Amino acid sequence: MNEQRGAAAMEMGELSVRQLDRPSEPGSGYVAVRSQSSPDGSGRSVLEGAFELLGAVERAGEAGLTKLASKCGLPKTTAYRLLEQLVELGAVERCRGGYRMGPRLFRLGQGWQPHPRLRSAAREPARRLARATGAVVGLSVLREGQTLVLDWTVCETDEVFGPLLNDMAWPWFTAAGKVLVAGASPQLPLGPLPASWQREAAAIRDRGVAFDREELVAGVCCVAAPLHGPGGVPLASLCVVTDPAHSLDRLAGAVQQTARTISAALRGR
């Protein structure tokens, strides 16, 4: 807290080089700006600085002002001002260690989807699939070289896979990611691909599903199928997560049928 008070004191003596677009609202604690340059002279906009800080907070879990400012290459006064504005917006919250991610970003993130009807179209079919298979069903997308999980559907409390459901970002080479990469542009930012990938991708396209037989996590197997939107573009993937005792080949048909149902809803059929 002494560190934050010191930064606030320095801030009071700092001359702002930004032009005000409009006066701040009484009691808002922050102002709107028109200038595209940040006060630290780096040429970064205020938004760029704020998002760099959000990224640093996310990577750290929680961190103090000095560490966050250093990670982003920002003066402490600038970092403090942006962090406090993010606190007021609910994007960041104060904690004993300094700052951590706030609840508003969680709510906003939960609302994101690559198609406006994806979650609603998948909800009930995913529930039916979970009940029919007794397995965990996931809805995922591929972004920035990662498999991002939008939703998990569990028919009952699962002590085996419960911890996995807390992780919403996985490498692209999960079954849910591979089935999308196999049908995507070769210019995806995935880095060097294994020599066997072209052969595996061709097999995935031919069969219409991808498998993960404990390749990523011991004791966890997965089968995934793509979800297609208008024009046949793959938007997301549907997967079933289970244990090695279950036959993925037998589950594949149910996953594909459910994926076709969801895809038809996305295309308005």
Side-chain angles (χ1 to χ4, degrees):
M1 291 304 295
N2 289 336
E3 185 179 34
Q4 293 180 2
R5 291 193 190 99
M10 287 188 288
E11 164 127 337
M12 294 299 293
E14 183 185 53
L15 291 176
S16 173
V17 298
R18 297 178 294 173
Q19 293 177 312
L20 298 182
D21 183 41
R22 57 180 172 81
S24 60
E25 296 179 6
S28 68
Y30 56 93
V31 295
V33 295
R34 181 171 54 215
S35 172
Q36 292 302 305
S37 296
S38 61
D40 64 356
S42 66
R44 285 176 293 195
S45 70
V46 175
L47 277 176
E48 287 174 322
F51 271 89
E52 284 188 27
L53 283 168
L54 285 172
V57 172
E58 190 272 333
R59 290 188 295 273
E62 61 179 53
L65 173 63
T66 300
K67 180 178 179 179
L68 293 172
S70 175
K71 289 288 185 183
C72 298
L74 291 170
K76 284 170 64 175
T77 53
T78 302
Y80 176 76
R81 176 171 55 250
L82 291 174
L83 285 165
E84 288 301 304
Q85 291 183 8
L86 290 169
V87 167
E88 289 204 25
L89 293 170
V92 168
E93 63 183 16
R94 301 184 194 92
C95 61
R96 293 183 64 181
Y99 297 93
R100 63 188 175 201
M101 299 301 285
R104 190 172 188 183
L105 278 188
F106 174 79
R107 293 194 299 271
L108 291 173
Q110 291 296 300
W112 179 82
Q113 54 186 340
H115 186 283
R117 295 198 305 274
L118 178 59
R119 288 178 189 270
S120 59
R123 188 171 296 116
E124 188 52 38
R127 287 173 180 166
R128 290 197 298 268
L129 181 61
R131 287 195 297 266
T133 61
V136 176
V137 176
L139 179 67
S140 304
V141 296
L142 190 70
R143 285 295 185 278
E144 298 180 355
Q146 288 187 303
T147 305
L148 304 182
V149 182
L150 297 181
D151 281 314
W152 288 115
T153 303
V154 185
C155 61
E156 58 187 30
T157 303
D158 196 311
E159 296 180 359
V160 176
F161 300 117
L164 294 176
L165 308 189
N166 295 325
D167 294 327
M168 307 305 283
W170 293 85
W172 71 267
F173 45 85
T174 62
K178 287 192 293 186
V179 79
L180 294 174
V181 174
S185 164
Q187 283 76 43
L188 282 174
L190 301 175
L193 296 172
S196 61
W197 171 245
Q198 291 302 324
R199 186 168 60 254
E200 184 177 1
I204 290 171
R205 289 192 296 269
D206 182 60
R207 184 160 186 181
V209 293
F211 296 100
D212 176 348
R213 293 181 170 89
E214 300 185 86
E215 297 164 27
L216 201 61
V217 179
V220 177
C221 297
C222 182
V223 56
L227 302 176
H228 297 94
V233 177
L235 295 174
S237 62
L238 185 77
C239 71
V240 161
V241 180
T242 187
D243 58 66
H246 289 79
S247 169
L248 293 185
D249 292 302
R250 282 200 289 267
L251 289 172
V255 175
Q256 285 180 297
Q257 181 56 50
T258 303
R260 284 193 287 268
T261 299
I262 297 170
S263 296
L266 291 173
R267 294 194 297 269
R269 297 180 183 176

PDB file of all heavy atoms in Angstrom, residues 60-89:
ATOM      1  N   ALA A  60       0.593 -13.334 -14.249  1.00  0.00           N
ATOM      2  CA  ALA A  60       1.152 -13.393 -12.896  1.00  0.00           C
ATOM      3  C   ALA A  60       0.187 -14.019 -11.891  1.00  0.00           C
ATOM      4  O   ALA A  60       0.608 -14.531 -10.860  1.00  0.00           O
ATOM      5  CB  ALA A  60       1.544 -11.994 -12.428  1.00  0.00           C
ATOM      6  N   GLY A  61      -1.101 -13.961 -12.168  1.00  0.00           N
ATOM      7  CA  GLY A  61      -2.092 -14.394 -11.178  1.00  0.00           C
ATOM      8  C   GLY A  61      -2.419 -13.239 -10.254  1.00  0.00           C
ATOM      9  O   GLY A  61      -3.548 -12.773 -10.182  1.00  0.00           O
ATOM     10  N   GLU A  62      -1.431 -12.749  -9.545  1.00  0.00           N
ATOM     11  CA  GLU A  62      -1.530 -11.494  -8.811  1.00  0.00           C
ATOM     12  C   GLU A  62      -0.119 -10.949  -8.645  1.00  0.00           C
ATOM     13  O   GLU A  62       0.846 -11.706  -8.535  1.00  0.00           O
ATOM     14  CB  GLU A  62      -2.228 -11.658  -7.462  1.00  0.00           C
ATOM     15  CG  GLU A  62      -1.567 -12.597  -6.491  1.00  0.00           C
ATOM     16  CD  GLU A  62      -2.338 -12.675  -5.173  1.00  0.00           C
ATOM     17  OE1 GLU A  62      -3.553 -12.947  -5.194  1.00  0.00           O
ATOM     18  OE2 GLU A  62      -1.709 -12.457  -4.120  1.00  0.00           O
ATOM     19  N   ALA A  63       0.013  -9.640  -8.678  1.00  0.00           N
ATOM     20  CA  ALA A  63       1.337  -9.023  -8.613  1.00  0.00           C
ATOM     21  C   ALA A  63       1.205  -7.583  -8.151  1.00  0.00           C
ATOM     22  O   ALA A  63       0.139  -6.964  -8.258  1.00  0.00           O
ATOM     23  CB  ALA A  63       2.029  -9.081  -9.980  1.00  0.00           C
ATOM     24  N   GLY A  64       2.306  -7.044  -7.657  1.00  0.00           N
ATOM     25  CA  GLY A  64       2.344  -5.665  -7.195  1.00  0.00           C
ATOM     26  C   GLY A  64       2.590  -4.673  -8.318  1.00  0.00           C
ATOM     27  O   GLY A  64       2.929  -5.043  -9.448  1.00  0.00           O
ATOM     28  N   LEU A  65       2.463  -3.412  -7.985  1.00  0.00           N
ATOM     29  CA  LEU A  65       2.598  -2.331  -8.965  1.00  0.00           C
ATOM     30  C   LEU A  65       3.964  -2.339  -9.627  1.00  0.00           C
ATOM     31  O   LEU A  65       4.071  -2.222 -10.855  1.00  0.00           O
ATOM     32  CB  LEU A  65       2.342  -0.987  -8.273  1.00  0.00           C
ATOM     33  CG  LEU A  65       2.608   0.270  -9.103  1.00  0.00           C
ATOM     34  CD1 LEU A  65       1.673   0.317 -10.308  1.00  0.00           C
ATOM     35  CD2 LEU A  65       2.448   1.514  -8.238  1.00  0.00           C
ATOM     36  N   THR A  66       5.032  -2.446  -8.842  1.00  0.00           N
ATOM     37  CA  THR A  66       6.385  -2.378  -9.397  1.00  0.00           C
ATOM     38  C   THR A  66       6.625  -3.469 -10.426  1.00  0.00           C
ATOM     39  O   THR A  66       7.153  -3.219 -11.516  1.00  0.00           O
ATOM     40  CB  THR A  66       7.434  -2.486  -8.273  1.00  0.00           C
ATOM     41  OG1 THR A  66       7.253  -1.401  -7.360  1.00  0.00           O
ATOM     42  CG2 THR A  66       8.844  -2.449  -8.834  1.00  0.00           C
ATOM     43  N   LYS A  67       6.229  -4.690 -10.106  1.00  0.00           N
ATOM     44  CA  LYS A  67       6.430  -5.806 -11.025  1.00  0.00           C
ATOM     45  C   LYS A  67       5.630  -5.626 -12.305  1.00  0.00           C
ATOM     46  O   LYS A  67       6.145  -5.852 -13.410  1.00  0.00           O
ATOM     47  CB  LYS A  67       6.036  -7.115 -10.346  1.00  0.00           C
ATOM     48  CG  LYS A  67       6.215  -8.345 -11.232  1.00  0.00           C
ATOM     49  CD  LYS A  67       5.854  -9.618 -10.487  1.00  0.00           C
ATOM     50  CE  LYS A  67       6.009 -10.841 -11.395  1.00  0.00           C
ATOM     51  NZ  LYS A  67       5.678 -12.100 -10.659  1.00  0.00           N
ATOM     52  N   LEU A  68       4.383  -5.208 -12.182  1.00  0.00           N
ATOM     53  CA  LEU A  68       3.526  -5.048 -13.364  1.00  0.00           C
ATOM     54  C   LEU A  68       4.032  -3.931 -14.255  1.00  0.00           C
ATOM     55  O   LEU A  68       4.052  -4.065 -15.488  1.00  0.00           O
ATOM     56  CB  LEU A  68       2.085  -4.781 -12.930  1.00  0.00           C
ATOM     57  CG  LEU A  68       1.382  -5.942 -12.220  1.00  0.00           C
ATOM     58  CD1 LEU A  68       0.043  -5.497 -11.662  1.00  0.00           C
ATOM     59  CD2 LEU A  68       1.190  -7.117 -13.175  1.00  0.00           C
ATOM     60  N   ALA A  69       4.435  -2.826 -13.650  1.00  0.00           N
ATOM     61  CA  ALA A  69       4.971  -1.712 -14.434  1.00  0.00           C
ATOM     62  C   ALA A  69       6.227  -2.144 -15.181  1.00  0.00           C
ATOM     63  O   ALA A  69       6.415  -1.822 -16.361  1.00  0.00           O
ATOM     64  CB  ALA A  69       5.265  -0.523 -13.529  1.00  0.00           C
ATOM     65  N   SER A  70       7.108  -2.884 -14.492  1.00  0.00           N
ATOM     66  CA  SER A  70       8.346  -3.348 -15.114  1.00  0.00           C
ATOM     67  C   SER A  70       8.069  -4.305 -16.268  1.00  0.00           C
ATOM     68  O   SER A  70       8.688  -4.212 -17.330  1.00  0.00           O
ATOM     69  CB  SER A  70       9.221  -4.026 -14.060  1.00  0.00           C
ATOM     70  OG  SER A  70      10.375  -4.581 -14.641  1.00  0.00           O
ATOM     71  N   LYS A  71       7.137  -5.240 -16.057  1.00  0.00           N
ATOM     72  CA  LYS A  71       6.811  -6.206 -17.104  1.00  0.00           C
ATOM     73  C   LYS A  71       6.296  -5.533 -18.368  1.00  0.00           C
ATOM     74  O   LYS A  71       6.515  -6.013 -19.476  1.00  0.00           O
ATOM     75  CB  LYS A  71       5.759  -7.196 -16.590  1.00  0.00           C
ATOM     76  CG  LYS A  71       6.261  -8.178 -15.542  1.00  0.00           C
ATOM     77  CD  LYS A  71       7.184  -9.212 -16.136  1.00  0.00           C
ATOM     78  CE  LYS A  71       7.564 -10.257 -15.100  1.00  0.00           C
ATOM     79  NZ  LYS A  71       8.542 -11.251 -15.651  1.00  0.00           N
ATOM     80  N   CYS A  72       5.594  -4.416 -18.195  1.00  0.00           N
ATOM     81  CA  CYS A  72       4.982  -3.724 -19.339  1.00  0.00           C
ATOM     82  C   CYS A  72       5.831  -2.564 -19.848  1.00  0.00           C
ATOM     83  O   CYS A  72       5.455  -1.921 -20.840  1.00  0.00           O
ATOM     84  CB  CYS A  72       3.594  -3.215 -18.960  1.00  0.00           C
ATOM     85  SG  CYS A  72       2.442  -4.524 -18.519  1.00  0.00           S
ATOM     86  N   GLY A  73       6.931  -2.264 -19.162  1.00  0.00           N
ATOM     87  CA  GLY A  73       7.772  -1.145 -19.582  1.00  0.00           C
ATOM     88  C   GLY A  73       7.101   0.193 -19.406  1.00  0.00           C
ATOM     89  O   GLY A  73       7.307   1.116 -20.203  1.00  0.00           O
ATOM     90  N   LEU A  74       6.289   0.322 -18.363  1.00  0.00           N
ATOM     91  CA  LEU A  74       5.551   1.559 -18.097  1.00  0.00           C
ATOM     92  C   LEU A  74       6.101   2.230 -16.840  1.00  0.00           C
ATOM     93  O   LEU A  74       6.517   1.549 -15.894  1.00  0.00           O
ATOM     94  CB  LEU A  74       4.065   1.263 -17.878  1.00  0.00           C
ATOM     95  CG  LEU A  74       3.251   0.789 -19.075  1.00  0.00           C
ATOM     96  CD1 LEU A  74       1.885   0.317 -18.613  1.00  0.00           C
ATOM     97  CD2 LEU A  74       3.102   1.908 -20.107  1.00  0.00           C
ATOM     98  N   PRO A  75       6.087   3.583 -16.779  1.00  0.00           N
ATOM     99  CA  PRO A  75       6.394   4.258 -15.521  1.00  0.00           C
ATOM    100  C   PRO A  75       5.380   3.843 -14.456  1.00  0.00           C
ATOM    101  O   PRO A  75       4.217   3.573 -14.759  1.00  0.00           O
ATOM    102  CB  PRO A  75       6.243   5.742 -15.877  1.00  0.00           C
ATOM    103  CG  PRO A  75       6.373   5.804 -17.350  1.00  0.00           C
ATOM    104  CD  PRO A  75       5.812   4.523 -17.877  1.00  0.00           C
ATOM    105  N   LYS A  76       5.809   3.791 -13.217  1.00  0.00           N
ATOM    106  CA  LYS A  76       4.914   3.363 -12.155  1.00  0.00           C
ATOM    107  C   LYS A  76       3.691   4.272 -12.046  1.00  0.00           C
ATOM    108  O   LYS A  76       2.590   3.801 -11.752  1.00  0.00           O
ATOM    109  CB  LYS A  76       5.660   3.319 -10.827  1.00  0.00           C
ATOM    110  CG  LYS A  76       6.575   2.113 -10.694  1.00  0.00           C
ATOM    111  CD  LYS A  76       7.477   2.207  -9.473  1.00  0.00           C
ATOM    112  CE  LYS A  76       6.678   2.188  -8.195  1.00  0.00           C
ATOM    113  NZ  LYS A  76       7.572   2.155  -7.000  1.00  0.00           N
ATOM    114  N   THR A  77       3.883   5.583 -12.279  1.00  0.00           N
ATOM    115  CA  THR A  77       2.731   6.491 -12.187  1.00  0.00           C
ATOM    116  C   THR A  77       1.687   6.159 -13.244  1.00  0.00           C
ATOM    117  O   THR A  77       0.487   6.153 -12.975  1.00  0.00           O
ATOM    118  CB  THR A  77       3.179   7.947 -12.352  1.00  0.00           C
ATOM    119  OG1 THR A  77       3.946   8.061 -13.557  1.00  0.00           O
ATOM    120  CG2 THR A  77       4.009   8.406 -11.169  1.00  0.00           C
ATOM    121  N   THR A  78       2.152   5.863 -14.458  1.00  0.00           N
ATOM    122  CA  THR A  78       1.233   5.506 -15.544  1.00  0.00           C
ATOM    123  C   THR A  78       0.549   4.177 -15.245  1.00  0.00           C
ATOM    124  O   THR A  78      -0.670   4.034 -15.409  1.00  0.00           O
ATOM    125  CB  THR A  78       1.989   5.415 -16.882  1.00  0.00           C
ATOM    126  OG1 THR A  78       2.615   6.668 -17.153  1.00  0.00           O
ATOM    127  CG2 THR A  78       1.047   5.065 -18.021  1.00  0.00           C
ATOM    128  N   ALA A  79       1.340   3.192 -14.814  1.00  0.00           N
ATOM    129  CA  ALA A  79       0.775   1.884 -14.498  1.00  0.00           C
ATOM    130  C   ALA A  79      -0.247   1.995 -13.373  1.00  0.00           C
ATOM    131  O   ALA A  79      -1.318   1.379 -13.427  1.00  0.00           O
ATOM    132  CB  ALA A  79       1.887   0.909 -14.114  1.00  0.00           C
ATOM    133  N   TYR A  80       0.071   2.798 -12.352  1.00  0.00           N
ATOM    134  CA  TYR A  80      -0.859   2.955 -11.223  1.00  0.00           C
ATOM    135  C   TYR A  80      -2.171   3.578 -11.697  1.00  0.00           C
ATOM    136  O   TYR A  80      -3.259   3.122 -11.331  1.00  0.00           O
ATOM    137  CB  TYR A  80      -0.225   3.823 -10.142  1.00  0.00           C
ATOM    138  CG  TYR A  80      -1.155   4.101  -8.989  1.00  0.00           C
ATOM    139  CD1 TYR A  80      -1.421   3.126  -8.035  1.00  0.00           C
ATOM    140  CD2 TYR A  80      -1.808   5.335  -8.881  1.00  0.00           C
ATOM    141  CE1 TYR A  80      -2.301   3.375  -6.983  1.00  0.00           C
ATOM    142  CE2 TYR A  80      -2.682   5.584  -7.838  1.00  0.00           C
ATOM    143  CZ  TYR A  80      -2.920   4.608  -6.898  1.00  0.00           C
ATOM    144  OH  TYR A  80      -3.781   4.843  -5.868  1.00  0.00           O
ATOM    145  N   ARG A  81      -2.083   4.624 -12.501  1.00  0.00           N
ATOM    146  CA  ARG A  81      -3.299   5.279 -12.974  1.00  0.00           C
ATOM    147  C   ARG A  81      -4.174   4.310 -13.772  1.00  0.00           C
ATOM    148  O   ARG A  81      -5.386   4.226 -13.560  1.00  0.00           O
ATOM    149  CB  ARG A  81      -2.933   6.483 -13.848  1.00  0.00           C
ATOM    150  CG  ARG A  81      -4.157   7.163 -14.465  1.00  0.00           C
ATOM    151  CD  ARG A  81      -3.822   8.466 -15.156  1.00  0.00           C
ATOM    152  NE  ARG A  81      -2.793   8.308 -16.156  1.00  0.00           N
ATOM    153  CZ  ARG A  81      -1.550   8.784 -16.040  1.00  0.00           C
ATOM    154  NH1 ARG A  81      -1.169   9.398 -14.939  1.00  0.00           N
ATOM    155  NH2 ARG A  81      -0.684   8.621 -17.010  1.00  0.00           N
ATOM    156  N   LEU A  82      -3.551   3.554 -14.697  1.00  0.00           N
ATOM    157  CA  LEU A  82      -4.322   2.618 -15.513  1.00  0.00           C
ATOM    158  C   LEU A  82      -4.912   1.489 -14.664  1.00  0.00           C
ATOM    159  O   LEU A  82      -6.064   1.091 -14.855  1.00  0.00           O
ATOM    160  CB  LEU A  82      -3.433   2.034 -16.615  1.00  0.00           C
ATOM    161  CG  LEU A  82      -3.006   3.009 -17.714  1.00  0.00           C
ATOM    162  CD1 LEU A  82      -2.013   2.340 -18.659  1.00  0.00           C
ATOM    163  CD2 LEU A  82      -4.205   3.521 -18.496  1.00  0.00           C
ATOM    164  N   LEU A  83      -4.137   0.972 -13.734  1.00  0.00           N
ATOM    165  CA  LEU A  83      -4.640  -0.111 -12.884  1.00  0.00           C
ATOM    166  C   LEU A  83      -5.810   0.341 -12.024  1.00  0.00           C
ATOM    167  O   LEU A  83      -6.792  -0.387 -11.860  1.00  0.00           O
ATOM    168  CB  LEU A  83      -3.513  -0.641 -11.994  1.00  0.00           C
ATOM    169  CG  LEU A  83      -2.471  -1.520 -12.698  1.00  0.00           C
ATOM    170  CD1 LEU A  83      -1.237  -1.685 -11.824  1.00  0.00           C
ATOM    171  CD2 LEU A  83      -3.067  -2.883 -13.050  1.00  0.00           C
ATOM    172  N   GLU A  84      -5.731   1.557 -11.497  1.00  0.00           N
ATOM    173  CA  GLU A  84      -6.821   2.057 -10.670  1.00  0.00           C
ATOM    174  C   GLU A  84      -8.081   2.292 -11.503  1.00  0.00           C
ATOM    175  O   GLU A  84      -9.199   2.087 -11.029  1.00  0.00           O
ATOM    176  CB  GLU A  84      -6.388   3.342  -9.952  1.00  0.00           C
ATOM    177  CG  GLU A  84      -5.390   3.103  -8.833  1.00  0.00           C
ATOM    178  CD  GLU A  84      -5.934   2.160  -7.761  1.00  0.00           C
ATOM    179  OE1 GLU A  84      -7.015   2.459  -7.200  1.00  0.00           O
ATOM    180  OE2 GLU A  84      -5.310   1.116  -7.505  1.00  0.00           O
ATOM    181  N   GLN A  85      -7.911   2.728 -12.752  1.00  0.00           N
ATOM    182  CA  GLN A  85      -9.075   2.862 -13.630  1.00  0.00           C
ATOM    183  C   GLN A  85      -9.670   1.488 -13.933  1.00  0.00           C
ATOM    184  O   GLN A  85     -10.895   1.310 -13.962  1.00  0.00           O
ATOM    185  CB  GLN A  85      -8.679   3.576 -14.924  1.00  0.00           C
ATOM    186  CG  GLN A  85      -8.329   5.051 -14.712  1.00  0.00           C
ATOM    187  CD  GLN A  85      -8.013   5.760 -16.006  1.00  0.00           C
ATOM    188  OE1 GLN A  85      -8.195   5.210 -17.088  1.00  0.00           O
ATOM    189  NE2 GLN A  85      -7.525   6.978 -15.898  1.00  0.00           N
ATOM    190  N   LEU A  86      -8.803   0.486 -14.147  1.00  0.00           N
ATOM    191  CA  LEU A  86      -9.286  -0.874 -14.381  1.00  0.00           C
ATOM    192  C   LEU A  86      -9.991  -1.432 -13.151  1.00  0.00           C
ATOM    193  O   LEU A  86     -10.949  -2.199 -13.271  1.00  0.00           O
ATOM    194  CB  LEU A  86      -8.113  -1.770 -14.791  1.00  0.00           C
ATOM    195  CG  LEU A  86      -7.519  -1.493 -16.173  1.00  0.00           C
ATOM    196  CD1 LEU A  86      -6.206  -2.249 -16.357  1.00  0.00           C
ATOM    197  CD2 LEU A  86      -8.506  -1.849 -17.279  1.00  0.00           C
ATOM    198  N   VAL A  87      -9.526  -1.058 -11.962  1.00  0.00           N
ATOM    199  CA  VAL A  87     -10.202  -1.461 -10.728  1.00  0.00           C
ATOM    200  C   VAL A  87     -11.609  -0.885 -10.694  1.00  0.00           C
ATOM    201  O   VAL A  87     -12.586  -1.586 -10.365  1.00  0.00           O
ATOM    202  CB  VAL A  87      -9.400  -1.017  -9.488  1.00  0.00           C
ATOM    203  CG1 VAL A  87     -10.247  -1.147  -8.220  1.00  0.00           C
ATOM    204  CG2 VAL A  87      -8.131  -1.847  -9.345  1.00  0.00           C
ATOM    205  N   GLU A  88     -11.753   0.409 -11.026  1.00  0.00           N
ATOM    206  CA  GLU A  88     -13.082   1.038 -11.008  1.00  0.00           C
ATOM    207  C   GLU A  88     -14.022   0.385 -12.014  1.00  0.00           C
ATOM    208  O   GLU A  88     -15.235   0.323 -11.790  1.00  0.00           O
ATOM    209  CB  GLU A  88     -12.951   2.523 -11.299  1.00  0.00           C
ATOM    210  CG  GLU A  88     -12.306   3.316 -10.166  1.00  0.00           C
ATOM    211  CD  GLU A  88     -12.703   4.776 -10.203  1.00  0.00           C
ATOM    212  OE1 GLU A  88     -13.783   5.087 -10.743  1.00  0.00           O
ATOM    213  OE2 GLU A  88     -11.930   5.590  -9.686  1.00  0.00           O
ATOM    214  N   LEU A  89     -13.465  -0.102 -13.114  1.00  0.00           N
ATOM    215  CA  LEU A  89     -14.285  -0.749 -14.136  1.00  0.00           C
ATOM    216  C   LEU A  89     -14.571  -2.208 -13.813  1.00  0.00           C
ATOM    217  O   LEU A  89     -15.347  -2.860 -14.509  1.00  0.00           O
ATOM    218  CB  LEU A  89     -13.584  -0.655 -15.495  1.00  0.00           C
ATOM    219  CG  LEU A  89     -13.453   0.759 -16.075  1.00  0.00           C
ATOM    220  CD1 LEU A  89     -12.526   0.743 -17.289  1.00  0.00           C
ATOM    221  CD2 LEU A  89     -14.822   1.305 -16.470  1.00  0.00           C
TER     222      LEU A  89
END
